[in-house]
Amino acid sequence: MREVAIIGVKNTIFGEQWDRSFRDLVVEAGVGAVKDAGITGEKIDSMFVGNMSGGQFVEQEHIGALIADYSGLAKNLHIPSTRVEAACASGGLALRQGIYSVASGMDDIVIAAGVEKMTDVPSAKASSALAAAADREWEGIMGATFPGLYAMIARMHMHKYGTTSEQLASAAVKNHQNGQFNPIAQYKNKITIESVLNSIMVADPLHIFDCSPITDGASAVILAPADIAHEYTDTPIYVKGTGQASDTLALHDRRDITTLDASVVAGKRAYEMARMGPEDIDLVEVHDCFTIAEICAIEDLGFAKKGEGGKVTFDGETAIGGRIPVNTSGGLKACGHPVGATGVKQAIEIVEQLRGEAGKRQVDGAEIGMTHNVGGSGATAVVHIFSRNR
Amino acid sequence: MREVAIIGVKNTIFGEQWDRSFRDLVVEAGVGAVKDAGITGEKIDSMFVGNMSGGQFVEQEHIGALIADYSGLAKNLHIPSTRVEAACASGGLALRQGIYSVASGMDDIVIAAGVEKMTDVPSAKASSALAAAADREWEGIMGATFPGLYAMIARMHMHKYGTTSEQLASAAVKNHQNGQFNPIAQYKNKITIESVLNSIMVADPLHIFDCSPITDGASAVILAPADIAHEYTDTPIYVKGTGQASDTLALHDRRDITTLDASVVAGKRAYEMARMGPEDIDLVEVHDCFTIAEICAIEDLGFAKKGEGGKVTFDGETAIGGRIPVNTSGGLKACGHPVGATGVKQAIEIVEQLRGEAGKRQVDGAEIGMTHNVGGSGATAVVHIFSRNR
């Protein structure tokens, strides 16, 4: 396969954007990424767009063509554009399809984007739409939504490993600490362990500050064959590994609900492809849809021993300047979580860090970074490893 | 890129299947294709699934993982599974993603499948869900649904080229003639031009017998590198070309509503890749969501001069035994149109024809076949060319 590099990136602001439409958001991200790569639309061979539920959130399917159209790439250029969906892992999988297409040699310059417009519906409708990422016939139909499912994971993690509410909260506190330095972040306020513990209980033991928010946003990257990436930018970032894995849709079918086997296997596949291990990674963006998800993720990817994710986080090992900085962007918790966009935004955070352009959240000397994007309660996981050196 | 072949195929019955669920359908197709290829689940490297609107039809997103799970490929094997959506072209694009993945060298054995369960909602809800394939903010919001949009195309085609209602009807009559010999077809009854013209008017000039039905069904194919395809089957069918193109989502933005530019461009891209032209094709499955769509398709793909599609069809040139057999499966009209599955079913029809296994609908000596799958009113088109010879 051909090696692949990222040559351009762009996020919109993440947040409640009632004055902007679904299509406004994704066009801003796409056009911004094209500009960042210094190319024009005619250079693009294909587009892949991650979106979980345009149908339920904005009554619009056929998202790929919509985006090509509103980006001015459909009418005369007729650029192929394909939507990819795997719930909250849609963005990560759009990136993976883009990698496939460049690796195959069928395409050279490719856009991989993600978008979600979630605030145009009442929050009960948003919860219901998101619950469609769980097993509707075994979970959703019983009234289970994601805070409840992740609360069960958290309760079991506490039971098996002695993880505490304070340790969970420390993940949110760190992510807000990082988010204040990210211009696109939905929340730029600092919080404390006390404010997390005193916030409303959503699904015991998860408080509302343990939960990522409902967000509007879009993100896009431009991919190119590694061989010609330097023609477009002085700082191409190389894709060294990609791994994807599935697991049962319903949580109750898993062998162990405190381990997301899909994360473990996707990580393993990405590490093998990159010929690397956790010790080679300088920073990682993990899928912290809830604080417990970050704790599980750093264990499942090999950055903490099983059961010690909470302790490691509480002790500051995952802060900027710590042993392995986690979610320098602010993560889903503080940066926001437009579900289709998140996987692409994670890649952009790593690109900005490896380019040395992350400002006050810069990880010194970062050379290799990882992203970890999860769908639902772990039925899909996709992991990518990036390097500033080929 | 590596060349790709199809080594196994399976369709479910197409029709109203109130006794079977979404997941039942896709598992039957997937398992059937695996059996047809003579492999076991452990051999599979990746799955790609076309589905337009699980969210709106069965309140279920995250379709890729669902299918891996219910096929027994998630819990222990953790096989990557990705949903692809482009409205009624979702199946054709799932096939295309599968081709990318094998061509890239990242995967060897891949399932490309498509599924839609459309009859679990009232028909008004189905129409509304399907309308999400059009431009919601410019078409859907005005009350436009697909029969109305295609009726405008038909009216303009009649105005510009003198196409008649009888000519349109002749496409439906031919497709029912073919469908009676297809074991999976939703409708196996013969119809006549008179019965089409006497059927209820849906959107003038389109009668209900000009329209494809609402259907439940699933289809799956197994892909492998061409180099090793003979290890699995004596009759691999080779992918010679794939082309995809986008156009404006809204019909009113097109330069000419009687030509689907996306079909023209996708066809051109597939022909170029295969180094072939229309004269090389022995039979073609085109996207006849309405009779007028078949007329436009055979013009746009080069099988009839612009404006002569109706005449050519009425004259029998597209019948089995004619100059260029079109929709030997019965097409969307008679075989049925489970929107996410259709693009894959088209490929299966070509595979069965090129294998010489199409029974009473066999096209004698068929060596090269084409599929043409459209999303919405032509904002996405995807064309594939297959050959029994490498």
Side-chain angles (χ1 to χ4, degrees):
Chain A
M1 60 167 282
R2 293 204 296 183
E3 285 184 67
V4 182
I6 296 180
I7 60 169
V9 300
K10 173 71 179 177
N11 290 307
T12 65
I13 294 288
F14 278 19
E16 290 189 52
Q17 304 191 55
W18 293 358
D19 56 337
R20 309 179 68 211
S21 72
F22 181 97
R23 39 195 93 180
D24 292 337
L25 292 171
V26 71
V27 169
E28 181 190 334
V31 170
V34 163
K35 274 192 192 166
D36 187 49
I39 61 173
T40 53
E42 303 90 67
K43 291 291 291 183
I44 297 164
D45 295 313
S46 275
M47 301 174 67
F48 298 91
V49 183
N51 174 254
M52 173 180 170
S53 198
Q56 295 189 83
F57 283 120
V58 293
E59 298 184 331
Q60 180 72 64
E61 311 277 2
H62 211 171
I63 304 299
L66 173 82
I67 289 169
D69 184 5
Y70 278 78
S71 307
L73 302 176
K75 189 167 187 173
N76 299 308
L77 297 170
H78 302 293
I79 292 171
S81 184
T82 300
R83 173 196 176 192
V84 175
E85 185 268 327
C88 309
S90 299
L93 288 193
L95 174 58
R96 187 169 154 96
Q97 301 322 302
I99 293 168
Y100 271 129
S101 84
V102 176
S104 75
M106 286 165 67
D107 297 320
D108 286 331
I109 307 295
V110 167
I111 299 188
V115 57
E116 211 81 47
K117 182 79 172 82
M118 304 173 74
T119 67
D120 288 358
V121 295
S123 57
K125 168 71 182 165
S127 279
S128 160
L130 290 170
D135 192 319
R136 179 65 76 176
E137 294 186 15
W138 292 96
E139 295 180 323
I141 206 167
M142 306 302 287
T145 56
F146 279 98
L149 294 169
Y150 274 93
M152 288 192 271
I153 297 176
R155 185 56 75 198
M156 182 65 90
H157 206 280
M158 290 171 152
H159 174 73
K160 283 178 84 164
Y161 303 113
T163 301
T164 66
S165 289
E166 287 75 10
Q167 290 172 349
L168 294 180
S170 69
V173 170
K174 166 187 64 70
N175 290 345
H176 274 252
Q177 169 68 24
N178 294 346
Q180 65 180 319
F181 302 121
N182 188 348
I184 69 155
Q186 183 162 6
Y187 299 123
K188 298 194 180 75
N189 58 314
K190 283 174 130 177
I191 58 174
T192 63
I193 287 181
E194 290 65 40
S195 59
V196 177
L197 298 184
N198 290 329
S199 69
I200 266 184
M201 188 68 84
V202 173
D204 194 358
L206 300 179
H207 301 80
I208 198 163
F209 282 8
D210 285 295
C211 309
S212 60
I214 300 288
T215 310
D216 303 327
S219 304
V221 301
I222 313 287
L223 303 173
D227 282 340
I228 60 168
H230 263 292
E231 295 175 17
Y232 298 99
T233 174
D234 293 335
T235 53
I237 300 300
Y238 300 97
V239 179
K240 303 307 287 182
T242 171
Q244 180 187 349
S246 303
D247 201 350
T248 66
L249 204 55
L251 197 58
H252 58 247
D253 284 332
R254 311 267 172 87
R255 62 173 186 84
D256 167 17
I257 68 169
T258 64
T259 299
L260 274 62
D261 280 347
S263 294
V264 175
V265 174
K268 189 161 165 282
R269 289 172 179 163
Y271 283 132
E272 276 174 10
M273 183 171 167
R275 292 180 198 155
M276 293 182 188
E279 65 285 359
D280 297 307
I281 308 296
D282 295 319
L283 79 163
V284 57
E285 289 283 303
V286 304
H287 195 91
D288 61 316
C289 48
F290 299 92
T291 48
I292 182 62
E294 176 165 324
I295 304 305
C296 292
I298 62 174
E299 294 170 354
D300 295 342
L301 297 170
F303 300 112
K305 281 192 197 148
K306 195 73 221 170
E308 296 187 4
K311 180 176 180 304
V312 158
T313 304
F314 190 84
D315 290 349
E317 294 189 30
T318 60
I320 295 172
R323 177 172 58 85
I324 171 75
V326 173
N327 286 335
T328 55
S329 71
L332 285 55
K333 173 65 192 87
C335 189
H337 182 27
V339 290
T342 286
V344 180
K345 180 224 78 176
Q346 294 177 321
I348 294 178
E349 176 66 14
I350 298 299
V351 167
E352 292 183 345
Q353 289 278 357
L354 301 187
R355 284 178 176 176
E357 297 175 354
K360 287 190 177 174
R361 51 186 212 289
Q362 182 66 46
V363 173
D364 287 342
E367 301 216 332
I368 295 170
M370 172 183 269
T371 59
H372 162 259
N373 190 199
V374 169
S377 61
T380 299
V382 54
V383 172
H384 286 99
I385 299 173
F386 304 93
S387 173
R388 62 181 291 175
N389 303 306
R390 194 164 169 192
Chain B
M1 59 167 283
R2 293 206 296 185
E3 286 185 64
V4 181
I6 295 180
I7 60 168
V9 301
K10 172 71 178 177
N11 290 308
T12 66
I13 294 289
F14 279 19
E16 289 188 53
Q17 304 191 58
W18 292 359
D19 56 336
R20 308 180 68 212
S21 73
F22 181 97
R23 41 194 92 183
D24 291 339
L25 292 170
V26 72
V27 169
E28 180 190 335
V31 171
V34 163
K35 274 192 191 165
D36 187 51
I39 61 173
T40 52
E42 303 89 68
K43 291 290 291 182
I44 297 163
D45 294 312
S46 275
M47 301 174 67
F48 298 90
V49 183
N51 173 255
M52 174 180 170
S53 198
Q56 295 188 84
F57 283 121
V58 293
E59 296 185 332
Q60 181 73 64
E61 311 278 2
H62 212 171
I63 304 299
L66 174 83
I67 289 170
D69 184 6
Y70 278 77
S71 306
L73 302 176
K75 189 167 186 173
N76 298 310
L77 297 170
H78 303 292
I79 291 172
S81 184
T82 300
R83 173 197 177 193
V84 175
E85 185 268 326
C88 309
S90 300
L93 287 194
L95 175 58
R96 187 169 154 95
Q97 301 322 304
I99 293 168
Y100 271 129
S101 84
V102 176
S104 74
M106 285 164 65
D107 296 320
D108 286 332
I109 307 295
V110 167
I111 299 189
V115 58
E116 210 82 45
K117 183 79 173 78
M118 304 174 72
T119 68
D120 288 357
V121 294
S123 56
K125 167 73 183 163
S127 279
S128 160
L130 291 170
D135 192 319
R136 180 64 75 175
E137 295 186 14
W138 292 97
E139 295 180 322
I141 206 167
M142 305 302 289
T145 56
F146 279 99
L149 294 169
Y150 274 94
M152 287 192 272
I153 297 176
R155 186 56 75 197
M156 182 65 90
H157 206 279
M158 290 172 151
H159 174 74
K160 284 177 82 165
Y161 303 114
T163 301
T164 65
S165 288
E166 289 76 9
Q167 290 172 349
L168 295 180
S170 68
V173 170
K174 166 188 62 72
N175 290 345
H176 274 251
Q177 169 68 23
N178 295 346
Q180 66 180 318
F181 302 121
N182 189 348
I184 70 154
Q186 183 162 7
Y187 299 122
K188 298 194 178 74
N189 59 314
K190 282 174 131 176
I191 58 173
T192 63
I193 286 181
E194 290 65 40
S195 59
V196 177
L197 298 184
N198 290 330
S199 69
I200 264 184
M201 188 68 82
V202 173
D204 194 358
L206 300 178
H207 300 80
I208 199 164
F209 282 8
D210 286 294
C211 308
S212 60
I214 299 289
T215 310
D216 303 326
S219 304
V221 301
I222 312 287
L223 304 173
D227 282 340
I228 60 169
H230 263 290
E231 295 175 18
Y232 299 99
T233 175
D234 294 335
T235 53
I237 301 300
Y238 300 95
V239 179
K240 303 305 288 181
T242 171
Q244 179 187 348
S246 305
D247 202 350
T248 65
L249 203 55
L251 197 57
H252 59 247
D253 284 332
R254 311 267 172 86
R255 62 173 187 84
D256 167 17
I257 67 169
T258 64
T259 299
L260 274 61
D261 281 346
S263 294
V264 175
V265 174
K268 190 163 165 281
R269 289 173 178 162
Y271 284 132
E272 277 175 9
M273 184 173 165
R275 292 180 199 157
M276 293 183 187
E279 65 283 0
D280 297 307
I281 308 296
D282 296 321
L283 77 162
V284 58
E285 290 283 302
V286 304
H287 195 91
D288 62 314
C289 48
F290 300 92
T291 48
I292 182 62
E294 176 164 325
I295 305 305
C296 291
I298 61 174
E299 296 171 352
D300 295 342
L301 297 170
F303 301 112
K305 282 191 196 147
K306 196 73 221 167
E308 295 185 4
K311 181 177 180 303
V312 159
T313 304
F314 190 84
D315 290 350
E317 294 188 32
T318 60
I320 295 172
R323 176 173 57 85
I324 172 74
V326 173
N327 286 336
T328 56
S329 71
L332 286 55
K333 173 66 192 85
C335 190
H337 183 27
V339 291
T342 286
V344 180
K345 179 223 79 177
Q346 293 177 322
I348 294 178
E349 176 65 14
I350 298 299
V351 167
E352 292 183 345
Q353 289 278 357
L354 300 187
R355 283 177 175 177
E357 297 175 353
K360 287 191 177 173
R361 52 185 211 290
Q362 183 66 46
V363 173
D364 288 342
E367 301 215 332
I368 295 169
M370 172 183 270
T371 59
H372 163 259
N373 190 198
V374 169
S377 61
T380 299
V382 54
V383 172
H384 286 99
I385 299 173
F386 304 93
S387 173
R388 62 181 291 175
N389 304 305
R390 191 161 172 194

